[in-house]
Amino acid sequence: MFTTVLSHQNSAVSQRENRIPFDLVGTIQALKQELNAVILAHYYQDPEIQDIADYLGDSLGLSQEAAKTSADVIVFAGVHFMAETAKILNPDKLVLLPDLNAGCSLADSCPPAEFARFKAAHPDHLVVSYINCTAEIKAMSDIICTSSNAVKIVSQIPADQPIIFAPDRNLGRYVMEQTGRNLVLWQGSCIVHETFSERKIIQLKMEHPQAKVIAHPECEPAVLQHADYIGSTTALLNYALKGEADRFIVVTEPGIIHQMQKAAPHKEFIPAPPQNQCACNECPHMRLNTLEKIYLAMKNRSPEVTLTPEIQQAALHPIRRMLEMS
Ligand code: 13P
Ligand code: SF4
């Protein structure tokens, strides 16, 4: 009985402490000054989060920004592997991830113990890993890449050097096509990008014959074959803004459409639909972050992303190589 009363009291205190202020955006801006914090956000975040970010970008841009920030605190509005990369680059800074459950299906598709066995079975291979992987996988890699520099990085590796590419088989296949290289692929994939239906994209193309299909390389080959342009989120945004075309079928997480629409309000952006009548073209991990959780993370200076010094140091080298080769 006593315990129950106490826990009721504790939860009342914590509810009071975690009360959300009326001016949430203003309070976050004030906390930013107080903590000397920077908010880094990915394009797949909710529009209201994108609008308060100090820097908004794709995985490469976000790691470049994390590498050069002078802020004391990095608030990462993205998923765990992105915040982890920021921490690897900034071991002495506080890196906050508003929801520690914001993972990534692609990173989960490559468990470290299984990958260690896969790597051991290909002892003469160089390991190029897509940044969408855990710090443990990065620590086992020679070079990291993102969707915007994968082709460029693989092209710089001597032609006679055998390569393992992990964890995304779709990006891996795309890199093979673009470079003419034979890569040994880890068979991972992203639940969001695998959800797009080729049939529905063909249907949309028939309804909008003038529209350009723009797609992320994490999509399956059956979908990518219909794309007029393939690239990272930043590349898709730039392509949509620069060209003459004014209607696009966007085959990636629809969060990016907020920036497209903001920068080109006169153009039309049609989100590619998923297979079923669901919202599964939205990344369930990315969308766990909210403005409220960002506020609470800054106020409580938690949840924090942490790493062992061994993993941090081993994972730093392949990330640095990526930044040098980009
Ligand atoms: P970008 O490299 O375009 O940021 O892609 C990140 C991602 O998670 C795609 O699903
Ligand atoms: Fe991971 Fe896919 Fe979400 Fe990107 S969209 S963070 S690859 S689950």
Side-chain angles (χ1 to χ4, degrees):
M1 183 61 184
F2 176 72
T3 328
T4 317
V5 171
L6 201 62
S7 77
H8 275 295
Q9 282 170 350
N10 284 346
S11 85
V13 170
S14 86
Q15 269 175 22
R16 208 168 36 245
E17 280 173 356
N18 286 337
R19 195 176 296 141
I20 304 301
F22 181 65
D23 179 12
L24 195 49
V25 171
T27 312
I28 289 173
Q29 301 297 0
L31 278 168
K32 220 158 64 177
Q33 300 292 322
E34 194 183 311
L35 300 176
N36 186 25
V38 66
I39 301 179
L40 307 183
H42 190 267
Y43 295 119
Y44 295 165
Q45 294 293 285
D46 285 339
E48 57 188 16
I49 297 180
Q50 296 188 30
D51 290 346
I52 57 145
D54 296 298
Y55 177 84
L56 186 64
D58 67 0
S59 300
L60 178 63
L62 287 163
S63 36
Q64 287 168 330
E65 203 60 29
K68 67 179 188 210
T69 185
S70 59
D72 296 319
V73 177
I74 298 173
V75 183
F76 217 108
V79 289
H80 199 274
F81 76 80
M82 296 177 172
E84 214 169 44
T85 304
K87 182 67 180 177
I88 293 165
L89 288 162
N90 297 281
D92 300 328
K93 292 187 182 186
L94 176 66
V95 177
L96 299 170
L97 183 63
D99 191 323
L100 278 186
N101 291 319
C104 167
S105 64
L106 191 44
D108 291 345
S109 70
C110 193
E114 281 175 44
F115 188 69
R117 284 195 289 276
F118 184 74
K119 189 181 158 180
H122 302 88
D124 53 343
H125 285 55
L126 197 84
V127 179
V128 178
S129 295
Y130 186 30
I131 199 163
N132 298 36
C133 64
T134 60
E136 285 84 356
I137 300 295
K138 289 186 176 76
M140 283 186 251
S141 306
D142 297 294
I143 314 172
I144 299 304
C145 70
T146 75
S147 60
S148 62
N149 61 18
V151 170
K152 188 174 177 183
I153 284 182
V154 169
S155 306
Q156 290 174 61
I157 299 169
D160 58 351
Q161 169 63 59
I163 301 171
I164 288 176
F165 189 92
D168 188 24
R169 62 170 178 227
N170 291 326
L171 177 62
R173 266 195 226 112
Y174 173 71
V175 173
M176 281 168 73
E177 262 173 43
Q178 296 296 306
T179 61
R181 299 284 296 259
N182 188 31
L183 309 176
V184 175
L185 302 180
W186 178 266
Q187 296 297 313
S189 59
C190 156
I191 48 163
V192 177
H193 288 85
E194 291 221 313
T195 197
F196 296 112
S197 137
E198 183 191 9
R199 189 178 55 81
K200 289 192 178 177
I201 288 167
I202 294 172
Q203 207 175 313
L204 267 179
K205 271 182 87 149
M206 278 156 54
E207 282 165 33
H208 308 280
Q210 309 300 337
K212 297 275 184 212
V213 177
I214 57 175
H216 196 280
E218 281 176 28
C219 296
E220 302 230 283
V223 164
L224 290 181
Q225 68 176 331
H226 299 286
D228 295 292
Y229 182 77
I230 298 169
S232 77
T233 43
T234 296
L236 297 182
L237 176 62
N238 292 340
Y239 178 85
L241 301 187
K242 282 186 191 140
E244 293 282 287
D246 58 6
R247 187 175 286 178
F248 300 86
I249 297 166
V250 184
V251 198
T252 191
E253 217 277 4
I256 184 74
I257 293 179
H258 178 58
Q259 289 310 311
M260 292 174 170
Q261 206 67 82
K262 246 171 114 168
H266 56 290
K267 296 192 178 188
E268 189 186 350
F269 301 98
I270 305 159
Q275 315 258 11
N276 306 311
Q277 306 297 340
C278 59
C280 25
N281 57 349
E282 286 189 359
C283 175
H285 308 288
M286 287 275 183
R287 304 293 179 133
L288 281 178
N289 293 322
T290 60
L291 267 192
E292 286 79 5
K293 289 181 194 171
I294 289 177
Y295 156 71
L296 290 173
M298 293 174 84
K299 176 175 161 285
N300 299 327
R301 298 170 67 86
S302 168
E304 177 186 1
V305 173
T306 55
L307 289 160
T308 64
E310 295 74 31
I311 292 286
Q312 186 274 327
Q313 270 157 32
L316 180 60
H317 179 65
I319 296 175
R320 283 233 173 101
R321 281 193 80 183
M322 170 186 83
L323 294 173
E324 286 156 16
M325 291 169 86
S326 293

